[in-house]
Amino acid sequence: MLSNNDLYKVLTGKREELPQPPVGYFRSESDKSPGAHGNNGGLMATSEPTATGGDQDPNSANLRPSTNYDAWMQGCTRKLGLKICGFLQKNNSLGEEGRIAGSLSERKNNLFSCDNSDRDARFQRTETDFSNMFARDLLPAKNGEEATMQFLLELVDILTNYVRKTFDRSTKVLDFHHPHQLLEGMEGFNLELSDQPESLEQILVDCRDTLKYGVRTGHPRFFNQLSTGLDIIGLAGEWLTSTANTNMFTYEIAPVFVLMEQLTLKKMREMIGWPSGEGDGIFSPGGAISNMYSVMIARYKYFPEVKTKGMSAAPRLVLFTSEHSHYSIKKAGAALGFGSENVVLLSTDERGRVIPADLEAKILDVKQKGYHPLFVNATAGSTVYGAFDPINEIADICEKYNMWLHVDGAWGGGLLMSRKHRHKFSGVERANSVTWNPHKMMGVPLQCSAILVREKGILAGCNSMCAGYLFQPDKQYDVSYDTGDKAIQCGRHVDIFKFWLMWKAKGTIGFEQHIDKCLDLSQYLYDKIRNREGYEMVFQGVPQHTNVCFWYIPPSLRGLEHNSEEYREKLHMVAPKIKAMMMESGTTMVGYQPQGQKVNFFRMVVSNPAALQSDIDFLIDEIERLGHDL
Amino acid sequence: MLSNNDLYKVLTGKREELPQPPVGYFRSESDKSPGAHGNNGGLMATSEPTATGGDQDPNSANLRPSTNYDAWMQGCTRKLGLKICGFLQKNNSLGEEGRIAGSLSERKNNLFSCDNSDRDARFQRTETDFSNMFARDLLPAKNGEEATMQFLLELVDILTNYVRKTFDRSTKVLDFHHPHQLLEGMEGFNLELSDQPESLEQILVDCRDTLKYGVRTGHPRFFNQLSTGLDIIGLAGEWLTSTANTNMFTYEIAPVFVLMEQLTLKKMREMIGWPSGEGDGIFSPGGAISNMYSVMIARYKYFPEVKTKGMSAAPRLVLFTSEHSHYSIKKAGAALGFGSENVVLLSTDERGRVIPADLEAKILDVKQKGYHPLFVNATAGSTVYGAFDPINEIADICEKYNMWLHVDGAWGGGLLMSRKHRHKFSGVERANSVTWNPHKMMGVPLQCSAILVREKGILAGCNSMCAGYLFQPDKQYDVSYDTGDKAIQCGRHVDIFKFWLMWKAKGTIGFEQHIDKCLDLSQYLYDKIRNREGYEMVFQGVPQHTNVCFWYIPPSLRGLEHNSEEYREKLHMVAPKIKAMMMESGTTMVGYQPQGQKVNFFRMVVSNPAALQSDIDFLIDEIERLGHDL
């Protein structure tokens, strides 16, 4: 009979002892040893204990611990960490109610054969020849457990090596190949699918190759997208999410995740500043869909009959958004039946911020034509300039004309977590809805985007169809937790867990530190290049977000007249050329684009928690190295 | 100096020898040993080789292998499997072109310190006290690598244990708790978020608790949803996907995944039967969104001006779908501005299949009112009955009236892979678009849904907005591979890899076997209960899909008049009561719902690859055990 101490040592290899239970924590006189928590129906452990210690009492047959004992157990579990946790919980659960297939003794048998004899051994990768093994040999195949564990551990070896390399500056960001090269098959990496199965060895090779020819978006020198970095907690969260493999539509099959979503959305609404964090919201598959939600619910708020009767039940409805805003507002306008011509683009100042007077003038123009101004989108962190529209002034206008105010904080949202930077969101509490993508500035793995709404119940009002096969009203639990019907999706991926876990692990304060650090880094870049020879800023002044937009002017262009067509044409080609060389050499990645009349320029953004000042320096060195002779 | 043989042994613990290189494969006279592939800049390995063998030559300084040598190396690598692969590739890559930060000697140093001394050791879980460690101690923290690896391995231990238990019939399917119980905090499982970080120990406990209070959707006795099961290859695919953490919108940052999507969609179109698999398509975040796409592109096909001018540019447009179809068609009608009243529901026969004559009558009715019949959805595998609408007859009508034919095969799609069952899709090649969710019948982890379109280019026509910051036309590669602009999303999660990997690992034939097995099991259930006392089938005849719909009639109701209101009322409560008890006891899960005038009945579906006949027997036993005394 093993004591808890023994088991703990067997399971973990640790040499610590379990804490002694306090006086009064014993279940009974026959149970004074902290190690003896029942004789397990007379079953003896099949392997030898690796150490001695702890009394043994074959007579204490009560498998259900007393409350006091429970409390002590819990204390042990917490103190001693995780490894023993599973055993204790399992053992405690032996007394649980509820009918379970298989006899009790069979369960206890499993318990011991699993936990005692080879719990750690199973975790060891052993020498496995996968060349004659196939998917059909894995679970649920009979006796497939060992193969399954070995396969998963082999894969984890590939993945953890990739994680290591991701953070290693001596590795490339990418190993670029053209589509036709990959399609032709790189060194046996064959993308074609066939009728017959491949061996597990080949599958593992394919996994390795998939990573090899991909892009390391977590690399400290990957600056190409608003979403960068590889957060380890977030990664762990995603691994767990895919292992749980469930669906957000009902509490029934995602109880924990549904509640996590509810609590997290409330926290986000509190940060927006809505009273007591009240309101509504949902996680959606990206900022474009979140923005689409905002347009849908604005329409439902003012013209609810459109839901049943269609757009013909409403006057011609017009949406307003910055010329610098994300294209998803226009896309939503097209998809939802407004028409992209009824999405009016607002002029911006030189920093890319909406000019409120232009908004008001355009609203009046639309009204004069007899159309109905419905909705204004204020961008909080524009995609290219990182600009924050003046929310308060826009909110004043929305109130005046009784319009819906949406704030697209897909990119900027993270700044709400920073006491230093959240003033850029001033007025956000006046918005009717807010898009906020934790998968951008906050480093949560893709996808993680929230649409937050001030008015409770309006999402369900807008979208519910009350499908009887999912949302039965006669379930045994409080069905207000079945939130699926307020989505435009039916099945919905669990996007919340990784975010919740990161929040737990970092605290609000950890996100704040990350945000502040990224903004500091971007200021460092700005200070470094704003007066540097060969650089010209696309707009003047410290950027509001981490976006630093600039032209690199190769020496050959520096003598040319800046307003000449020749100069513009040549400069337009500089960023694409440098970018192409960057990708070919695989050293770093940064985005570029034209904007309005402005020719191609670099848009540097910092959201990568791995980036340091030296990486910023590296980027600039690299641009100069590759662009010097253009 | 280590030979390849030595390294192989150190790295893998295997005792095999590398194959001898064939004559003529040596790079030079000084390099005759297959083990010596360069002296690595004079660096000596820091640990002792574990075995002898293979010559050593400190003078062969050429790090770039010749082509012959390359070929031999490749042979070795393939033959010997994966473990040495990383080392050889790494070593080969020393000669690669492209500037890489860090000196060559530094890289080689990393190489040896990493691969030689502790490559396997790193993979070992070691005794780690996470109670004083925090997220900030993980990568990219300085010296965070070891903590990161240990944390991830600890998590993997939790996950692999969960996987094991998932397939273990002696464990519960779920451990049910009401929302208020979980919100109050179960045994220290606190869902609230706070400002301060939690220790990594707490994070790992939270991970364990999250799984503990969730639902094991892969359990052999989980039949509650169309998506069930936990496919190990698919799981591996998702773990890799989240590690790669990239975005489908451009080839630039997802080259491999973009190509996999392209090739997989083509294979799926081939199975639909479109000539040469030509056409278009995209993976979307679920069947509801895929169906929404079909309505959008139908509208764009016939009334392209709606994209710019809105619904007022078109006549009143009407959509047709079965009264048994998924609610997402109606949801799409509401969202896209048609109005749910313009979604006409079609009558079905007693098996839930659309009656073509009813479709034609309703089209004529709509035309007579001056509206425009635009779109018909034929369901291939309805949600509740599993019914397949008669596609060919519907296609005839669509051709006659020049309408878009969409086939919603979200649930049925998998049957296209089965030679035995694909006849149920007869006529699908005449559809303009098809929804097919591999995450349902084919067991791919959530989310994995495709919208497939016969006409190439129409998705982009419908949705593109040509955002300059993402879809630059002046990239160095063929930008036709930047497929993001045809989506209604901007960022898009990588849903393809797990599916591609499963297809590789199983072959088409593996999917076929899975489909056939599930349909056999469902026939087994049907045969078992159709004449069994206490059961009544909701519809007669062998189900077309795996859906078996039935009432369980407790003994107390068996004497009652079946048409009486009392009987109906009592029977309506039977399924919810049994389901509630099932969930409380955690033994199995199956869905129920009313349908039209029919009171609550059970809908059993089989998509779980782990399910056996004994699990079907178990379900029936359980229904009778729990329902006998109602």
Side-chain angles (χ1 to χ4, degrees):
Chain A
M1 189 58 222
L2 286 177
S3 72
N4 271 353
N5 271 324
D6 297 340
L7 275 163
Y8 180 64
K9 289 168 189 164
V10 173
L11 299 182
T12 64
K14 285 190 181 179
R15 285 190 205 112
E16 290 175 44
E17 298 286 319
L18 276 161
Q20 289 299 312
V23 177
Y25 265 49
F26 303 121
R27 281 182 294 165
S28 67
E29 276 307 293
S30 65
D31 194 48
K32 274 188 180 157
S33 153
H37 52 282
N39 79 344
N40 298 295
L43 240 161
M44 299 299 283
T46 51
S47 67
E48 287 297 307
T50 55
T52 58
D55 300 330
Q56 294 153 22
D57 185 344
N59 297 317
S60 65
N62 175 16
L63 289 170
R64 188 167 181 81
S66 70
T67 310
N68 269 355
Y69 191 78
D70 267 349
W72 168 76
M73 275 287 191
Q74 213 169 65
C76 290
T77 310
R78 298 277 158 194
K79 179 182 179 306
L80 292 174
L82 290 156
K83 297 187 186 73
I84 200 167
C85 218
F87 175 79
L88 292 177
Q89 288 179 356
K90 254 185 172 174
N91 214 9
N92 277 339
S93 78
L94 285 181
E96 278 176 7
E97 282 163 24
R99 176 172 165 264
I100 287 291
S103 70
L104 196 63
S105 69
E106 182 187 319
R107 293 190 64 218
K108 275 176 287 180
N109 228 325
N110 286 343
L111 189 68
F112 274 89
S113 67
C114 167
D115 279 357
N116 198 23
S117 64
D118 59 359
R119 188 176 184 281
D120 269 321
R122 280 177 192 279
F123 187 73
Q124 303 281 344
R125 216 158 34 114
T126 58
E127 187 180 330
T128 307
D129 178 5
F130 292 105
S131 64
N132 285 312
M133 288 170 61
F134 293 87
R136 61 178 172 263
D137 301 315
L138 303 175
L139 285 171
K142 208 177 167 194
N143 305 322
E145 187 172 299
E146 181 62 22
T148 300
M149 294 303 124
Q150 289 307 320
F151 173 74
L152 287 176
L153 294 179
E154 194 73 43
L155 175 83
V156 166
D157 192 44
I158 293 170
L159 299 182
T160 49
N161 273 313
Y162 179 82
V163 170
R164 273 208 289 267
K165 284 186 197 158
T166 287
F167 292 96
D168 176 359
R169 287 177 176 77
S170 74
T171 67
K172 287 184 175 187
V173 175
L174 80 165
D175 185 9
F176 180 78
H177 292 84
H178 285 279
H180 69 88
Q181 293 174 306
L182 287 173
L183 286 171
E184 283 156 12
M186 303 291 301
E187 296 170 19
F189 184 32
N190 174 13
L191 297 173
E192 292 289 346
L193 300 166
S194 79
D195 289 347
Q196 297 302 318
E198 301 276 8
S199 71
L200 292 183
E201 178 179 5
Q202 184 59 47
I203 291 303
L204 289 162
V205 169
D206 287 341
C207 285
R208 197 185 286 273
D209 284 347
T210 298
L211 292 170
K212 175 174 161 59
Y213 296 110
V215 176
R216 295 195 178 132
T217 58
H219 194 287
R221 289 164 185 169
F222 178 81
F223 303 111
N224 205 63
Q225 245 66 37
L226 303 186
S227 305
T228 63
L230 180 60
D231 187 273
I232 300 299
I233 303 288
L235 178 62
E238 274 294 76
W239 286 5
L240 184 145
T241 298
S242 41
T243 310
N245 191 34
T246 193
N247 195 316
M248 291 297 284
F249 45 42
T250 59
Y251 179 87
E252 188 169 322
I253 64 161
V256 180
F257 299 132
V258 162
L259 296 178
M260 285 173 173
E261 181 175 78
Q262 190 192 58
L263 291 171
T264 307
L265 287 170
K266 186 164 192 287
K267 282 289 273 190
M268 294 171 88
R269 289 190 302 258
E270 284 170 7
M271 297 196 139
I272 287 170
W274 290 330
S276 313
E278 284 300 302
D280 210 337
I282 197 165
F283 280 82
S284 93
I289 302 285
S290 291
N291 283 342
M292 182 187 273
Y293 268 113
S294 75
V295 177
M296 287 172 62
I297 51 179
R299 179 175 64 184
Y300 180 74
K301 173 71 180 171
Y302 290 96
F303 298 96
E305 60 277 21
V306 171
K307 180 179 179 181
T308 49
K309 300 195 180 304
M311 288 296 271
S312 63
R316 184 160 160 179
L317 304 176
V318 181
L319 317 172
F320 298 83
T321 190
S322 162
E323 61 187 357
H324 274 248
S325 71
H326 191 261
Y327 67 95
S328 53
I329 299 291
K330 213 168 161 181
K331 228 168 205 185
L336 302 178
F338 295 80
S340 56
E341 287 177 5
N342 293 311
V343 181
V344 172
L345 298 185
L346 304 172
S347 301
T348 58
D349 65 17
E350 74 292 348
R351 300 283 303 264
R353 296 170 298 204
V354 157
I355 299 167
D358 186 63
L359 168 61
E360 185 153 20
K362 282 172 175 160
I363 289 172
L364 290 172
D365 181 55
V366 156
K367 283 172 79 80
Q368 207 184 8
K369 287 176 181 156
Y371 310 152
H372 186 96
L374 177 77
F375 167 102
V376 180
N377 171 55
T379 304
S382 64
T383 312
V384 178
Y385 281 22
F388 284 72
D389 289 338
I391 300 175
N392 264 317
E393 289 163 82
I394 293 172
D396 289 342
I397 296 170
C398 286
E399 280 173 19
K400 186 171 171 184
Y401 295 99
N402 191 27
M403 296 172 69
W404 186 277
L405 173 57
H406 176 66
V407 171
D408 178 3
W411 170 224
L415 274 62
L416 286 165
M417 295 232 163
S418 159
R419 282 163 289 191
K420 188 173 168 190
H421 295 285
R422 66 164 285 135
H423 69 88
K424 294 163 188 174
F425 267 96
S426 181
V428 68
E429 71 285 355
R430 298 172 66 188
N432 299 96
S433 55
V434 176
T435 291
W436 177 351
N437 287 11
H439 74 216
K440 292 200 164 81
M441 193 61 204
M442 293 165 69
V444 179
L446 286 159
Q447 60 193 32
C448 191
S449 169
I451 172 71
L452 300 142
V453 189
R454 195 167 61 190
E455 182 177 328
K456 201 168 181 171
I458 196 169
L459 266 173
C462 178
N463 293 316
S464 71
M465 291 289 160
C466 303
Y469 75 95
L470 262 183
F471 308 114
Q472 303 91 329
D474 45 12
K475 292 178 180 174
Q476 88 273 30
Y477 59 83
D478 177 355
V479 294
S480 69
Y481 289 92
D482 282 354
T483 52
D485 208 19
K486 67 185 180 187
I488 56 170
Q489 303 179 261
C490 173
R492 190 160 59 94
H493 188 259
V494 177
D495 296 334
I496 184 61
F497 181 67
K498 58 198 165 196
F499 182 32
W500 180 90
L501 198 69
M502 282 174 68
W503 204 327
K504 271 272 176 189
K506 294 169 191 287
T508 313
I509 213 168
F511 282 122
E512 178 179 47
Q513 284 161 354
H514 166 65
I515 303 288
D516 290 351
K517 186 197 142 203
C518 288
L519 279 136
D520 286 352
L521 263 185
S522 118
Q523 167 107 37
Y524 172 81
L525 170 62
Y526 171 76
D527 291 338
K528 181 181 175 107
I529 62 173
R530 65 184 167 134
N531 293 318
R532 189 181 178 94
E533 193 187 357
Y535 289 82
E536 196 176 321
M537 306 310 290
V538 173
F539 57 86
Q540 301 308 310
V542 178
Q544 291 186 281
H545 205 322
T546 70
N547 306 49
V548 181
C549 295
F550 62 92
W551 288 283
Y552 170 71
I553 326 273
S556 70
L557 296 190
R558 289 179 200 168
L560 296 178
E561 169 55 52
H562 276 31
N563 290 324
S564 73
E565 200 49 40
E566 183 197 358
Y567 176 82
R568 285 173 51 83
E569 275 174 19
K570 285 189 168 165
L571 185 57
H572 189 58
M573 294 191 300
V574 169
K577 280 183 183 163
I578 292 175
K579 172 70 175 277
M581 289 187 282
M582 263 179 194
M583 285 180 66
E584 296 282 349
S585 58
T587 48
T588 181
M589 281 177 80
V590 61
Y592 75 87
Q593 67 286 299
Q595 170 92 31
Q597 294 305 306
K598 296 187 160 77
V599 300
N600 278 324
F601 56 87
F602 285 114
R603 178 206 64 177
M604 174 66 180
V605 280
V606 185
S607 62
N608 195 331
L612 302 174
Q613 286 190 359
S614 58
D615 298 307
I616 304 289
D617 295 339
F618 179 87
L619 174 81
I620 293 303
D621 288 352
E622 193 67 357
I623 286 174
E624 294 174 2
R625 182 181 76 86
L626 296 167
H628 189 270
D629 297 329
L630 289 180
Chain B
M1 190 57 220
L2 287 177
S3 72
N4 270 353
N5 271 324
D6 297 341
L7 275 163
Y8 181 63
K9 288 169 190 162
V10 173
L11 298 183
T12 64
K14 285 191 182 180
R15 286 191 202 111
E16 289 175 44
E17 297 285 320
L18 274 162
Q20 289 299 314
V23 177
Y25 264 48
F26 302 121
R27 279 181 293 165
S28 67
E29 279 305 295
S30 65
D31 194 46
K32 275 186 179 158
S33 154
H37 51 282
N39 78 346
N40 298 295
L43 241 161
M44 297 301 281
T46 50
S47 68
E48 288 297 306
T50 55
T52 56
D55 300 329
Q56 293 154 21
D57 184 344
N59 297 317
S60 65
N62 176 15
L63 289 171
R64 188 169 180 79
S66 71
T67 309
N68 269 356
Y69 190 78
D70 268 347
W72 168 76
M73 275 287 192
Q74 214 167 66
C76 289
T77 310
R78 294 278 158 196
K79 179 181 179 306
L80 293 175
L82 290 157
K83 297 190 184 74
I84 201 165
C85 219
F87 175 79
L88 292 176
Q89 287 180 355
K90 253 186 173 173
N91 215 11
N92 277 343
S93 77
L94 286 181
E96 277 177 8
E97 282 164 24
R99 176 172 164 264
I100 288 287
S103 70
L104 196 61
S105 67
E106 182 188 319
R107 292 191 67 217
K108 275 176 289 181
N109 226 325
N110 287 343
L111 191 66
F112 274 88
S113 66
C114 167
D115 279 355
N116 198 22
S117 62
D118 58 359
R119 188 177 183 282
D120 268 323
R122 280 178 192 278
F123 188 74
Q124 302 281 343
R125 217 156 35 111
T126 59
E127 185 181 332
T128 306
D129 178 5
F130 292 106
S131 64
N132 285 311
M133 289 172 60
F134 292 87
R136 61 177 173 261
D137 300 316
L138 303 175
L139 285 171
K142 208 177 168 194
N143 304 322
E145 188 172 298
E146 181 62 22
T148 300
M149 294 303 124
Q150 289 308 319
F151 173 74
L152 288 176
L153 293 179
E154 194 74 42
L155 176 83
V156 166
D157 191 44
I158 293 170
L159 299 182
T160 49
N161 273 313
Y162 179 82
V163 170
R164 271 208 290 266
K165 285 187 197 158
T166 286
F167 292 96
D168 176 358
R169 287 177 177 78
S170 73
T171 67
K172 288 185 175 186
V173 175
L174 80 163
D175 184 7
F176 179 78
H177 293 83
H178 286 279
H180 69 89
Q181 293 173 307
L182 287 173
L183 287 171
E184 283 156 12
M186 303 292 300
E187 296 171 19
F189 184 31
N190 174 12
L191 296 173
E192 291 290 344
L193 300 166
S194 78
D195 289 348
Q196 298 302 318
E198 301 276 8
S199 72
L200 293 182
E201 178 180 5
Q202 183 60 48
I203 291 303
L204 289 162
V205 170
D206 287 341
C207 285
R208 195 185 287 272
D209 284 346
T210 298
L211 293 170
K212 175 175 162 56
Y213 296 110
V215 176
R216 295 197 178 128
T217 58
H219 194 288
R221 290 166 184 168
F222 178 82
F223 303 111
N224 205 63
Q225 245 66 39
L226 304 184
S227 303
T228 64
L230 180 60
D231 187 273
I232 300 299
I233 302 288
L235 179 62
E238 273 295 76
W239 286 3
L240 184 144
T241 298
S242 41
T243 310
N245 191 33
T246 194
N247 196 315
M248 290 297 285
F249 46 42
T250 60
Y251 179 87
E252 188 169 321
I253 64 161
V256 180
F257 300 130
V258 162
L259 297 177
M260 285 172 175
E261 181 175 77
Q262 192 192 57
L263 291 171
T264 307
L265 288 170
K266 186 163 191 289
K267 281 290 273 190
M268 293 170 88
R269 287 190 303 259
E270 284 169 7
M271 297 197 141
I272 287 169
W274 291 330
S276 312
E278 284 300 302
D280 210 338
I282 196 164
F283 280 82
S284 92
I289 303 285
S290 292
N291 283 342
M292 183 188 272
Y293 269 113
S294 75
V295 177
M296 287 172 62
I297 52 181
R299 179 175 64 184
Y300 181 74
K301 174 70 180 173
Y302 290 96
F303 299 95
E305 60 277 20
V306 170
K307 180 179 180 182
T308 49
K309 300 196 181 302
M311 288 295 271
S312 62
R316 185 161 158 178
L317 304 175
V318 181
L319 317 172
F320 298 83
T321 190
S322 161
E323 60 186 359
H324 275 248
S325 70
H326 191 260
Y327 67 94
S328 53
I329 299 291
K330 211 167 163 184
K331 228 168 206 185
L336 302 178
F338 295 79
S340 55
E341 287 177 5
N342 293 310
V343 181
V344 173
L345 298 185
L346 304 172
S347 302
T348 57
D349 64 18
E350 73 293 348
R351 300 284 303 262
R353 295 169 300 203
V354 157
I355 299 166
D358 185 64
L359 168 62
E360 184 153 21
K362 282 172 175 161
I363 289 172
L364 290 171
D365 180 55
V366 156
K367 284 172 79 79
Q368 206 185 6
K369 287 176 180 155
Y371 311 152
H372 186 97
L374 177 77
F375 167 102
V376 180
N377 171 55
T379 304
S382 63
T383 311
V384 178
Y385 282 21
F388 284 73
D389 290 337
I391 301 175
N392 263 318
E393 290 163 82
I394 294 172
D396 289 343
I397 296 170
C398 287
E399 279 172 20
K400 184 170 173 186
Y401 296 98
N402 190 28
M403 295 170 72
W404 186 276
L405 173 57
H406 175 66
V407 171
D408 178 3
W411 170 225
L415 273 63
L416 286 164
M417 296 231 161
S418 160
R419 283 164 288 192
K420 187 172 168 193
H421 295 286
R422 65 163 287 133
H423 68 88
K424 295 165 188 173
F425 268 95
S426 181
V428 67
E429 70 286 355
R430 299 171 67 187
N432 299 96
S433 54
V434 176
T435 291
W436 177 352
N437 287 10
H439 74 216
K440 290 199 165 82
M441 193 61 205
M442 293 164 70
V444 179
L446 286 159
Q447 58 191 41
C448 191
S449 169
I451 172 71
L452 299 141
V453 189
R454 194 166 64 189
E455 182 176 330
K456 202 170 182 170
I458 197 170
L459 265 174
C462 179
N463 293 317
S464 72
M465 293 286 160
C466 302
Y469 76 95
L470 262 183
F471 309 114
Q472 303 92 329
D474 45 12
K475 292 177 180 176
Q476 88 272 32
Y477 60 83
D478 177 355
V479 294
S480 70
Y481 289 92
D482 283 354
T483 51
D485 209 19
K486 68 185 177 187
I488 55 168
Q489 302 179 258
C490 172
R492 190 160 58 94
H493 187 259
V494 177
D495 296 333
I496 184 60
F497 181 66
K498 58 198 165 197
F499 182 31
W500 180 90
L501 197 69
M502 281 173 68
W503 203 327
K504 271 271 174 190
K506 294 168 191 291
T508 312
I509 212 167
F511 282 122
E512 179 180 46
Q513 285 161 352
H514 166 65
I515 303 288
D516 289 351
K517 186 198 142 204
C518 288
L519 278 136
D520 286 351
L521 263 186
S522 117
Q523 167 107 39
Y524 171 81
L525 170 62
Y526 171 76
D527 290 339
K528 180 182 176 106
I529 63 172
R530 65 184 168 134
N531 294 319
R532 191 182 178 94
E533 193 187 357
Y535 290 81
E536 196 176 319
M537 306 309 290
V538 174
F539 58 85
Q540 301 308 310
V542 179
Q544 292 186 281
H545 205 322
T546 70
N547 307 48
V548 180
C549 296
F550 62 92
W551 288 281
Y552 169 71
I553 325 272
S556 69
L557 296 190
R558 288 178 201 168
L560 296 178
E561 168 55 51
H562 276 30
N563 291 323
S564 72
E565 199 51 37
E566 183 197 357
Y567 176 82
R568 284 173 51 81
E569 275 174 18
K570 284 189 169 165
L571 184 58
H572 189 58
M573 295 190 300
V574 168
K577 280 182 184 164
I578 293 176
K579 173 69 175 279
M581 288 187 282
M582 263 179 193
M583 286 180 66
E584 296 282 350
S585 59
T587 47
T588 181
M589 280 177 81
V590 60
Y592 74 87
Q593 67 286 298
Q595 170 93 32
Q597 293 306 306
K598 295 187 161 76
V599 300
N600 279 323
F601 56 86
F602 286 112
R603 178 206 63 178
M604 174 66 181
V605 282
V606 185
S607 63
N608 194 331
L612 301 174
Q613 287 189 359
S614 58
D615 299 307
I616 304 288
D617 295 339
F618 179 87
L619 174 80
I620 294 302
D621 288 351
E622 193 67 356
I623 287 174
E624 294 175 1
R625 182 181 74 85
L626 296 167
H628 189 269
D629 297 330
L630 289 179

